[in-house]
Amino acid sequence: MSRLNREQMAARVARDIPEGTYVNLGIGLPTQVANYLPADKEIFLQSENGLLGMGPAPAPGEEDPDLINAGKQPVTLLTGGCYFHHADSFSMMRGGHLDICVLGAFQVSQHGDLANWSTGAPGAIPAVGGAMDLAIGAKQVFVLMELQTRKGESKLVAECSYPLTGLRCVSRIYTDVGVFALGPEGARVIELVDGVNLDEVRQLTGLPLEMIE
Amino acid sequence: MIDKTTWTLQSAVTDIPDGASVMVGGFGTAGMPDELIDALIAHGARELTIINNNAGNGDTGLAALIASKRVRKVVCSFPRQTDSWHFDAAYKAGEIELELVPQGNLAARIHAAGSGLGAIFTPTGYGTELAAGKETREIDGRHYVLEYPLHADFALIKADRGDRWGNLVYRKTARNFGPLMAMAAKCTIAQVSEVVALGELDPEAVVTPGIFVHRVVAAGGKS
Protein backbone atom coordinates (compact mmCIF):
# COMPACT_ATOMS: atom_id res chain seq x y z
CA MET A 1 0.00 0.00 0.00
CA SER A 2 1.45 3.38 -0.94
CA ARG A 3 1.56 6.05 1.72
CA LEU A 4 2.39 9.74 1.93
CA ASN A 5 5.57 10.70 3.74
CA ARG A 6 5.44 13.32 6.50
CA GLU A 7 6.28 16.20 4.17
CA GLN A 8 3.51 15.16 1.78
CA MET A 9 1.06 14.88 4.69
CA ALA A 10 1.90 18.42 5.83
CA ALA A 11 1.55 19.68 2.24
CA ARG A 12 -1.85 17.99 1.92
CA VAL A 13 -3.27 19.85 4.95
CA ALA A 14 -1.82 23.12 3.67
CA ARG A 15 -3.92 22.76 0.48
CA ASP A 16 -7.12 22.93 2.56
CA ILE A 17 -6.27 26.16 4.39
CA PRO A 18 -7.92 29.09 2.58
CA GLU A 19 -6.60 32.62 2.32
CA GLY A 20 -7.68 34.94 5.13
CA THR A 21 -8.07 32.24 7.77
CA TYR A 22 -6.66 32.49 11.31
CA VAL A 23 -4.76 29.28 11.99
CA ASN A 24 -2.87 27.71 14.89
CA LEU A 25 -0.42 24.93 14.09
CA GLY A 26 0.43 22.56 16.95
CA ILE A 27 3.87 21.39 18.02
CA GLY A 28 5.63 18.73 15.91
CA LEU A 29 4.53 17.75 12.41
CA PRO A 30 1.68 20.34 12.33
CA THR A 31 4.30 23.11 12.63
CA GLN A 32 5.68 21.97 9.28
CA VAL A 33 2.37 22.77 7.54
CA ALA A 34 3.59 26.39 7.49
CA ASN A 35 6.32 25.37 5.02
CA TYR A 36 3.68 24.46 2.43
CA LEU A 37 1.27 27.41 2.70
CA PRO A 38 1.24 29.23 -0.63
CA ALA A 39 3.38 32.38 -0.56
CA ASP A 40 0.86 34.32 -2.64
CA LYS A 41 -1.95 33.92 -0.08
CA GLU A 42 -2.26 35.76 3.23
CA ILE A 43 -2.95 33.28 6.05
CA PHE A 44 -2.66 34.44 9.67
CA LEU A 45 -0.68 32.08 11.88
CA GLN A 46 -1.36 32.42 15.62
CA SER A 47 1.00 31.17 18.30
CA GLU A 48 -0.33 30.49 21.81
CA ASN A 49 2.50 32.42 23.46
CA GLY A 50 1.19 35.69 22.09
CA LEU A 51 1.72 36.42 18.43
CA LEU A 52 -0.43 36.72 15.36
CA GLY A 53 1.15 36.97 11.94
CA MET A 54 3.95 34.55 12.74
CA GLY A 55 6.63 34.30 10.07
CA PRO A 56 9.23 31.65 9.26
CA ALA A 57 12.38 30.82 11.21
CA PRO A 58 14.96 33.63 11.19
CA ALA A 59 18.20 33.45 9.26
CA PRO A 60 21.10 32.01 11.27
CA GLY A 61 22.44 34.68 13.61
CA GLU A 62 19.14 36.62 13.52
CA GLU A 63 17.46 34.65 16.34
CA ASP A 64 15.84 36.69 19.12
CA PRO A 65 15.26 34.88 22.45
CA ASP A 66 12.20 37.09 23.04
CA LEU A 67 10.57 35.98 19.77
CA ILE A 68 9.67 32.29 19.89
CA ASN A 69 6.80 29.96 18.97
CA ALA A 70 4.81 27.51 21.10
CA GLY A 71 7.57 24.94 20.67
CA LYS A 72 10.04 27.56 21.99
CA GLN A 73 11.88 27.73 18.65
CA PRO A 74 12.94 31.13 17.28
CA VAL A 75 10.53 32.62 14.73
CA THR A 76 9.88 35.96 13.04
CA LEU A 77 6.93 38.35 12.88
CA LEU A 78 5.44 39.32 9.53
CA THR A 79 4.86 42.99 8.72
CA GLY A 80 1.44 43.71 10.23
CA GLY A 81 1.78 41.05 12.89
CA CYS A 82 1.33 41.80 16.59
CA TYR A 83 2.01 40.64 20.15
CA PHE A 84 -0.44 40.13 23.02
CA HIS A 85 -0.64 38.54 26.46
CA HIS A 86 -1.82 35.06 27.35
CA ALA A 87 -5.41 35.96 28.26
CA ASP A 88 -5.92 37.50 24.81
CA SER A 89 -4.19 34.57 23.17
CA PHE A 90 -6.44 31.98 24.78
CA SER A 91 -9.53 34.14 24.25
CA MET A 92 -8.74 33.80 20.55
CA MET A 93 -9.03 30.03 20.99
CA ARG A 94 -11.85 29.63 23.50
CA GLY A 95 -13.80 32.52 22.04
CA GLY A 96 -14.07 30.77 18.67
CA HIS A 97 -12.00 33.33 16.76
CA LEU A 98 -9.53 30.86 15.27
CA ASP A 99 -10.75 29.27 12.06
CA ILE A 100 -8.54 26.21 12.03
CA CYS A 101 -6.09 24.49 14.29
CA VAL A 102 -3.96 21.54 13.24
CA LEU A 103 -2.88 19.16 16.00
CA GLY A 104 -1.06 15.88 16.36
CA ALA A 105 -2.68 12.96 18.19
CA PHE A 106 -2.11 9.64 19.92
CA GLN A 107 -5.67 8.59 19.10
CA VAL A 108 -8.79 10.09 17.55
CA SER A 109 -12.21 8.44 17.84
CA GLN A 110 -14.57 8.07 14.91
CA HIS A 111 -16.82 10.67 16.57
CA GLY A 112 -14.01 13.22 16.92
CA ASP A 113 -12.82 12.66 20.50
CA LEU A 114 -9.15 13.62 20.74
CA ALA A 115 -6.39 12.06 22.86
CA ASN A 116 -3.09 13.86 22.41
CA TRP A 117 -1.69 14.91 25.81
CA SER A 118 -1.06 11.75 27.80
CA THR A 119 -0.70 8.04 27.24
CA GLY A 120 -1.51 7.51 30.90
CA ALA A 121 1.79 5.67 31.37
CA PRO A 122 2.48 5.24 35.10
CA GLY A 123 5.29 7.41 36.43
CA ALA A 124 5.37 9.70 33.40
CA ILE A 125 5.40 13.45 34.11
CA PRO A 126 2.15 14.81 32.68
CA ALA A 127 2.11 17.96 30.52
CA VAL A 128 -0.85 19.48 28.68
CA GLY A 129 0.08 23.00 27.55
CA GLY A 130 -2.54 24.59 25.31
CA ALA A 131 -3.84 21.36 23.77
CA MET A 132 -7.17 21.29 25.63
CA ASP A 133 -7.90 24.95 24.82
CA LEU A 134 -7.10 24.51 21.14
CA ALA A 135 -9.13 21.32 20.91
CA ILE A 136 -12.37 22.89 22.06
CA GLY A 137 -11.74 26.40 20.80
CA ALA A 138 -11.01 26.53 17.11
CA LYS A 139 -13.94 26.45 14.67
CA GLN A 140 -12.37 23.48 12.90
CA VAL A 141 -9.87 21.09 14.47
CA PHE A 142 -7.80 19.07 12.02
CA VAL A 143 -5.56 16.26 13.21
CA LEU A 144 -2.44 15.44 11.22
CA MET A 145 -1.04 12.00 12.00
CA GLU A 146 0.00 8.67 10.56
CA LEU A 147 -2.98 6.32 10.56
CA GLN A 148 -1.07 3.70 12.52
CA THR A 149 1.38 3.56 15.39
CA ARG A 150 4.83 2.09 14.80
CA LYS A 151 3.43 -1.18 16.14
CA GLY A 152 0.72 -1.11 13.48
CA GLU A 153 -2.25 -0.21 15.69
CA SER A 154 -4.81 2.15 14.20
CA LYS A 155 -4.86 5.61 15.78
CA LEU A 156 -8.33 6.18 14.34
CA VAL A 157 -10.42 4.16 16.77
CA ALA A 158 -14.02 3.45 17.73
CA GLU A 159 -13.38 4.85 21.24
CA CYS A 160 -10.17 6.35 22.63
CA SER A 161 -8.37 4.33 25.28
CA TYR A 162 -5.90 7.11 26.15
CA PRO A 163 -6.90 10.06 28.38
CA LEU A 164 -8.99 12.57 26.43
CA THR A 165 -7.93 16.08 25.46
CA GLY A 166 -11.38 17.11 24.25
CA LEU A 167 -14.73 15.53 23.43
CA ARG A 168 -16.21 15.51 19.91
CA CYS A 169 -13.91 18.25 18.75
CA VAL A 170 -11.99 16.91 15.72
CA SER A 171 -13.73 17.44 12.40
CA ARG A 172 -11.14 15.94 10.08
CA ILE A 173 -7.97 13.85 10.11
CA TYR A 174 -5.21 13.98 7.53
CA THR A 175 -3.19 10.78 7.43
CA ASP A 176 -0.59 9.01 5.32
CA VAL A 177 -3.33 6.92 3.65
CA GLY A 178 -6.11 9.45 3.23
CA VAL A 179 -8.34 12.17 4.64
CA PHE A 180 -11.28 11.36 6.91
CA ALA A 181 -14.27 13.36 8.15
CA LEU A 182 -15.40 12.65 11.72
CA GLY A 183 -18.70 13.38 13.37
CA PRO A 184 -21.80 12.04 15.13
CA GLU A 185 -22.38 9.55 12.31
CA GLY A 186 -18.85 8.19 12.60
CA ALA A 187 -15.80 8.37 10.36
CA ARG A 188 -16.15 8.71 6.60
CA VAL A 189 -13.53 8.81 3.89
CA ILE A 190 -13.02 12.09 2.04
CA GLU A 191 -10.18 10.82 -0.13
CA LEU A 192 -7.66 7.99 -0.27
CA VAL A 193 -4.07 8.21 -1.39
CA ASP A 194 -3.53 6.74 -4.89
CA GLY A 195 -2.96 3.03 -4.55
CA VAL A 196 -4.90 2.66 -1.29
CA ASN A 197 -8.24 0.90 -1.40
CA LEU A 198 -11.16 1.23 0.97
CA ASP A 199 -11.12 -2.41 2.10
CA GLU A 200 -7.52 -2.11 3.25
CA VAL A 201 -8.35 0.93 5.37
CA ARG A 202 -11.44 -0.74 6.81
CA GLN A 203 -9.22 -3.64 7.81
CA LEU A 204 -6.55 -1.40 9.36
CA THR A 205 -9.06 0.57 11.41
CA GLY A 206 -11.72 -2.04 12.05
CA LEU A 207 -14.29 0.65 11.26
CA PRO A 208 -17.16 0.37 8.73
CA LEU A 209 -15.83 3.23 6.62
CA GLU A 210 -17.67 4.57 3.57
CA MET A 211 -16.57 7.10 0.97
CA ILE A 212 -18.25 10.49 1.07
CA GLU A 213 -19.91 10.82 -2.33
CA MET B 1 6.75 61.95 44.97
CA ILE B 2 5.98 58.34 44.18
CA ASP B 3 8.96 56.37 42.95
CA LYS B 4 8.59 52.60 42.56
CA THR B 5 12.03 52.31 40.98
CA THR B 6 14.14 52.77 44.11
CA TRP B 7 14.50 49.01 44.66
CA THR B 8 17.50 46.81 44.03
CA LEU B 9 17.21 43.18 42.96
CA GLN B 10 18.04 42.14 46.54
CA SER B 11 15.83 44.62 48.43
CA ALA B 12 12.87 43.90 46.15
CA VAL B 13 12.62 40.24 47.19
CA THR B 14 13.80 40.40 50.79
CA ASP B 15 10.30 40.24 52.32
CA ILE B 16 9.27 37.09 50.42
CA PRO B 17 8.71 34.65 53.30
CA ASP B 18 9.03 30.88 53.49
CA GLY B 19 5.85 29.26 52.18
CA ALA B 20 4.92 32.18 49.92
CA SER B 21 3.08 31.70 46.63
CA VAL B 22 5.04 33.33 43.85
CA MET B 23 3.96 33.85 40.23
CA VAL B 24 6.90 33.83 37.85
CA GLY B 25 6.46 35.31 34.36
CA GLY B 26 7.78 33.68 31.24
CA PHE B 27 7.01 31.10 28.58
CA GLY B 28 10.09 28.93 28.52
CA THR B 29 12.93 31.40 28.91
CA ALA B 30 11.17 34.28 27.08
CA GLY B 31 10.08 36.70 29.80
CA MET B 32 11.69 34.70 32.61
CA PRO B 33 12.96 37.19 35.25
CA ASP B 34 16.32 35.46 35.77
CA GLU B 35 17.93 38.24 37.81
CA LEU B 36 15.01 38.49 40.27
CA ILE B 37 15.06 34.72 40.70
CA ASP B 38 18.80 34.77 41.37
CA ALA B 39 18.08 37.37 44.06
CA LEU B 40 15.32 35.16 45.48
CA ILE B 41 17.72 32.21 45.62
CA ALA B 42 20.28 34.36 47.44
CA HIS B 43 17.53 35.58 49.81
CA GLY B 44 16.81 31.97 50.70
CA ALA B 45 13.01 31.69 51.04
CA ARG B 46 11.89 28.05 51.12
CA GLU B 47 8.76 25.93 50.66
CA LEU B 48 7.58 28.18 47.83
CA THR B 49 4.57 27.53 45.61
CA ILE B 50 5.52 28.63 42.11
CA ILE B 51 3.03 29.49 39.36
CA ASN B 52 4.53 29.55 35.86
CA ASN B 53 3.67 28.09 32.46
CA ASN B 54 6.54 25.61 32.69
CA ALA B 55 8.75 24.15 35.39
CA GLY B 56 12.13 25.53 34.42
CA ASN B 57 14.37 25.25 31.37
CA GLY B 58 18.07 24.47 31.44
CA ASP B 59 19.96 25.64 34.53
CA THR B 60 18.87 29.27 34.92
CA GLY B 61 15.83 31.14 36.25
CA LEU B 62 13.07 28.90 37.61
CA ALA B 63 15.21 25.81 36.91
CA ALA B 64 17.90 27.18 39.23
CA LEU B 65 15.29 27.90 41.93
CA ILE B 66 14.03 24.31 41.71
CA ALA B 67 17.61 22.98 41.72
CA SER B 68 18.26 24.92 44.94
CA LYS B 69 15.36 22.97 46.54
CA ARG B 70 13.32 26.03 47.48
CA VAL B 71 10.13 24.94 45.71
CA ARG B 72 7.45 22.79 47.38
CA LYS B 73 4.85 22.94 44.61
CA VAL B 74 4.61 23.99 40.98
CA VAL B 75 1.35 25.04 39.29
CA CYS B 76 1.90 24.95 35.53
CA SER B 77 0.67 23.67 32.17
CA PHE B 78 3.78 22.12 30.64
CA PRO B 79 6.49 20.89 33.02
CA ARG B 80 7.98 18.12 30.91
CA GLN B 81 10.41 19.40 28.30
CA THR B 82 13.73 18.28 26.87
CA ASP B 83 15.56 20.68 29.22
CA SER B 84 13.45 20.40 32.41
CA TRP B 85 15.91 18.04 34.12
CA HIS B 86 15.89 19.83 37.49
CA PHE B 87 12.10 19.61 37.79
CA ASP B 88 12.07 16.04 36.44
CA ALA B 89 14.56 14.89 39.07
CA ALA B 90 12.76 16.65 41.95
CA TYR B 91 9.37 15.32 40.80
CA LYS B 92 10.59 11.75 40.44
CA ALA B 93 12.22 11.97 43.87
CA GLY B 94 8.86 13.01 45.31
CA GLU B 95 10.29 16.34 46.50
CA ILE B 96 7.92 18.55 44.57
CA GLU B 97 4.16 18.64 44.11
CA LEU B 98 2.64 19.34 40.68
CA GLU B 99 -0.74 20.90 39.86
CA LEU B 100 -1.22 20.56 36.12
CA VAL B 101 -3.53 23.20 34.59
CA PRO B 102 -4.42 23.58 30.89
CA GLN B 103 -2.61 26.69 29.67
CA GLY B 104 -5.70 28.74 28.86
CA ASN B 105 -7.25 27.88 32.23
CA LEU B 106 -4.01 28.92 33.90
CA ALA B 107 -4.20 32.31 32.15
CA ALA B 108 -7.93 32.65 32.86
CA ARG B 109 -7.59 31.73 36.54
CA ILE B 110 -4.79 34.26 37.01
CA HIS B 111 -6.82 36.86 35.11
CA ALA B 112 -9.88 36.07 37.25
CA ALA B 113 -7.87 36.61 40.43
CA GLY B 114 -6.63 39.95 39.18
CA SER B 115 -10.14 40.91 38.07
CA GLY B 116 -11.84 40.13 41.37
CA LEU B 117 -13.97 37.29 40.01
CA GLY B 118 -15.12 34.54 42.37
CA ALA B 119 -14.74 31.78 39.78
CA ILE B 120 -15.07 31.11 36.07
CA PHE B 121 -16.86 28.52 33.94
CA THR B 122 -14.48 27.35 31.23
CA PRO B 123 -15.13 24.86 28.41
CA THR B 124 -11.48 23.77 28.43
CA GLY B 125 -10.89 20.38 29.98
CA TYR B 126 -14.54 19.36 30.19
CA GLY B 127 -14.83 15.57 30.22
CA THR B 128 -11.09 15.05 30.78
CA GLU B 129 -9.00 13.82 33.71
CA LEU B 130 -8.01 17.39 34.50
CA ALA B 131 -11.63 18.24 35.29
CA ALA B 132 -12.29 15.09 37.34
CA GLY B 133 -14.38 15.83 40.43
CA LYS B 134 -14.96 19.45 39.48
CA GLU B 135 -18.36 21.10 39.30
CA THR B 136 -19.74 21.44 35.77
CA ARG B 137 -22.64 23.29 34.20
CA GLU B 138 -24.38 23.29 30.84
CA ILE B 139 -24.96 26.81 29.56
CA ASP B 140 -26.72 27.34 26.22
CA GLY B 141 -25.97 23.76 25.21
CA ARG B 142 -22.25 23.88 25.93
CA HIS B 143 -20.48 22.19 28.83
CA TYR B 144 -18.29 24.14 31.25
CA VAL B 145 -16.06 23.36 34.24
CA LEU B 146 -15.98 25.55 37.36
CA GLU B 147 -12.45 26.79 38.02
CA TYR B 148 -11.31 29.05 40.84
CA PRO B 149 -9.06 32.11 40.64
CA LEU B 150 -5.34 31.73 41.19
CA HIS B 151 -3.93 34.36 43.56
CA ALA B 152 -0.35 34.81 44.70
CA ASP B 153 1.52 36.68 47.38
CA PHE B 154 4.15 37.92 44.94
CA ALA B 155 4.66 38.10 41.18
CA LEU B 156 8.13 38.29 39.64
CA ILE B 157 7.89 39.46 36.04
CA LYS B 158 10.13 40.83 33.33
CA ALA B 159 9.29 43.81 31.16
CA ASP B 160 11.25 45.89 28.68
CA ARG B 161 10.75 49.41 30.02
CA GLY B 162 9.08 50.86 33.09
CA ASP B 163 8.66 54.25 34.75
CA ARG B 164 8.56 55.38 38.39
CA TRP B 165 4.77 54.99 38.53
CA GLY B 166 5.14 51.32 37.52
CA ASN B 167 3.79 51.56 33.97
CA LEU B 168 5.28 48.79 31.83
CA VAL B 169 5.80 47.81 28.23
CA TYR B 170 7.14 44.42 27.21
CA ARG B 171 9.23 43.06 24.38
CA LYS B 172 7.81 40.66 21.75
CA THR B 173 6.68 37.26 23.07
CA ALA B 174 8.37 37.92 26.43
CA ARG B 175 5.05 39.57 27.38
CA ASN B 176 3.09 36.27 27.77
CA PHE B 177 1.85 35.95 31.40
CA GLY B 178 3.43 39.16 32.73
CA PRO B 179 0.42 41.49 32.45
CA LEU B 180 -1.89 38.87 34.01
CA MET B 181 0.38 37.98 36.92
CA ALA B 182 0.92 41.68 37.64
CA MET B 183 -2.84 41.92 38.31
CA ALA B 184 -3.14 38.80 40.43
CA ALA B 185 -0.41 39.15 43.07
CA LYS B 186 -0.54 41.14 46.30
CA CYS B 187 2.93 42.49 45.47
CA THR B 188 4.21 42.65 41.90
CA ILE B 189 7.92 43.07 41.29
CA ALA B 190 8.98 43.89 37.73
CA GLN B 191 12.52 43.76 36.46
CA VAL B 192 12.99 45.98 33.42
CA SER B 193 15.88 46.45 31.05
CA GLU B 194 15.43 50.20 31.24
CA VAL B 195 13.78 52.66 33.61
CA VAL B 196 12.46 55.64 31.67
CA ALA B 197 11.19 59.05 32.76
CA LEU B 198 7.45 59.61 33.30
CA GLY B 199 5.89 60.48 29.97
CA GLU B 200 8.38 58.57 27.89
CA LEU B 201 6.06 55.60 27.54
CA ASP B 202 3.29 56.32 25.03
CA PRO B 203 0.12 56.34 27.17
CA GLU B 204 -1.76 54.71 24.28
CA ALA B 205 0.69 51.82 24.31
CA VAL B 206 1.22 51.14 28.04
CA VAL B 207 0.53 47.41 28.47
CA THR B 208 0.51 47.15 32.27
CA PRO B 209 -0.81 50.26 34.05
CA GLY B 210 1.22 51.16 37.13
CA ILE B 211 -1.61 50.39 39.54
CA PHE B 212 -0.74 46.69 39.14
CA VAL B 213 2.98 47.12 39.83
CA HIS B 214 4.57 47.78 43.22
CA ARG B 215 8.31 47.56 42.65
CA VAL B 216 10.37 48.20 39.53
CA VAL B 217 14.00 47.11 39.35
CA ALA B 218 16.40 48.03 36.58
CA ALA B 219 18.13 44.77 35.71
CA GLY B 220 19.93 45.85 32.58
CA GLY B 221 20.49 43.60 29.59
CA LYS B 222 18.09 42.79 26.82
CA SER B 223 14.47 43.12 27.98
Side-chain angles (χ1 to χ4, degrees):
Chain A
M1 192 163 78
S2 56
R3 294 176 185 251
L4 301 185
N5 63 33
R6 288 166 73 80
E7 290 72 24
Q8 291 168 322
M9 290 164 63
R12 177 62 193 86
V13 179
R15 266 174 43 206
D16 285 356
I17 298 179
E19 181 161 31
T21 48
Y22 292 89
V23 179
N24 183 297
L25 301 175
I27 294 174
L29 184 57
T31 302
Q32 293 183 36
V33 172
N35 301 338
Y36 301 96
L37 295 174
D40 61 339
K41 288 185 187 168
E42 292 195 321
I43 291 163
F44 304 99
L45 295 184
Q46 194 256 16
S47 188
E48 67 184 13
N49 54 317
L51 70 162
L52 195 57
M54 180 168 62
E62 299 288 307
E63 298 90 351
D64 182 337
D66 285 342
L67 182 45
I68 58 173
N69 65 13
K72 303 182 175 81
Q73 302 154 319
V75 292
T76 52
L77 189 74
L78 300 179
T79 301
C82 63
Y83 305 111
F84 37 86
H85 61 58
H86 252 76
D88 282 351
S89 180
F90 282 79
S91 294
M92 291 176 195
M93 299 176 196
R94 249 189 269 105
H97 307 283
L98 280 182
D99 296 297
I100 295 170
C101 83
V102 184
L103 298 171
F106 298 134
Q107 283 178 334
V108 181
S109 85
Q110 58 184 334
H111 301 300
D113 294 340
L114 172 66
N116 78 346
W117 74 281
S118 165
T119 59
I125 300 173
V128 63
M132 288 186 178
D133 303 277
L134 279 167
I136 56 87
K139 287 178 194 151
Q140 291 191 82
V141 175
F142 295 166
V143 161
L144 175 59
M145 66 179 191
E146 274 103 6
L147 184 64
Q148 293 167 281
T149 64
R150 287 191 186 127
K151 288 183 185 165
E153 297 154 333
S154 178
K155 296 162 75 174
L156 172 59
V157 293
E159 296 290 340
C160 294
S161 57
Y162 288 145
L164 293 178
T165 305
L167 278 59
R168 312 272 162 136
C169 55
V170 180
S171 54
R172 215 178 257 193
I173 60 173
Y174 291 80
T175 74
D176 48 345
V177 304
V179 182
F180 303 82
L182 310 178
E185 64 291 336
R188 293 176 300 158
V189 182
I190 295 173
E191 68 180 37
L192 293 174
V193 169
D194 283 343
V196 174
N197 72 56
L198 186 56
D199 281 335
E200 286 176 307
V201 181
R202 282 178 180 149
Q203 207 155 32
L204 286 180
T205 59
L207 296 173
L209 298 166
E210 296 291 345
M211 297 294 297
I212 292 178
E213 295 304 325
Chain B
M1 188 179 93
I2 299 303
D3 188 356
K4 299 181 182 180
T5 68
T6 58
W7 301 85
T8 63
L9 287 166
Q10 290 72 28
S11 68
V13 302
T14 196
D15 57 347
I16 298 180
D18 289 355
S21 54
V22 182
M23 291 177 173
V24 174
F27 180 92
T29 55
M32 174 71 64
D34 283 350
E35 287 77 4
L36 279 174
I37 292 173
D38 287 344
L40 179 58
I41 292 169
H43 162 57
R46 298 182 166 276
E47 296 290 312
L48 300 171
T49 293
I50 297 294
I51 298 153
N52 178 258
N53 186 59
N54 304 105
N57 299 79
D59 299 306
T60 59
L62 178 52
L65 187 68
I66 289 169
S68 65
K69 304 202 181 290
R70 308 296 169 76
V71 181
R72 184 186 67 78
K73 178 180 178 183
V74 171
V75 181
C76 76
S77 85
F78 210 82
R80 186 193 64 230
Q81 300 164 98
T82 53
D83 57 355
S84 59
W85 45 76
H86 290 301
F87 173 82
D88 298 358
Y91 183 80
K92 284 178 177 158
E95 296 168 357
I96 203 162
E97 185 185 339
L98 170 66
E99 180 181 344
L100 191 71
V101 182
Q103 195 170 161
N105 286 355
L106 186 65
R109 290 176 61 194
I110 295 169
H111 200 208
S115 309
L117 301 179
I120 53 167
F121 279 106
T122 172
T124 302
Y126 176 81
T128 74
E129 279 181 10
L130 297 186
K134 293 179 178 174
E135 193 176 333
T136 60
R137 186 171 300 184
E138 187 175 335
I139 303 170
D140 287 339
R142 199 173 183 198
H143 295 282
Y144 296 85
V145 181
L146 181 70
E147 293 281 2
Y148 289 99
L150 204 47
H151 296 271
D153 299 316
F154 291 86
L156 308 183
I157 64 172
K158 176 166 153 180
D160 186 33
R161 291 182 296 154
D163 63 27
R164 67 177 175 84
W165 283 5
N167 298 306
L168 302 176
V169 296
Y170 300 80
R171 188 168 179 274
K172 303 188 178 182
T173 57
R175 181 183 309 193
N176 57 69
F177 284 90
L180 309 177
M181 291 178 170
M183 300 168 68
K186 291 192 196 97
C187 177
T188 293
I189 308 167
Q191 70 168 70
V192 297
S193 41
E194 189 187 0
V195 171
V196 298
L198 277 191
E200 272 195 46
L201 300 179
D202 178 357
E204 298 284 4
V206 166
V207 176
T208 295
I211 189 170
F212 298 128
V213 179
H214 305 90
R215 302 170 187 175
V216 176
V217 183
K222 206 169 164 188
S223 72

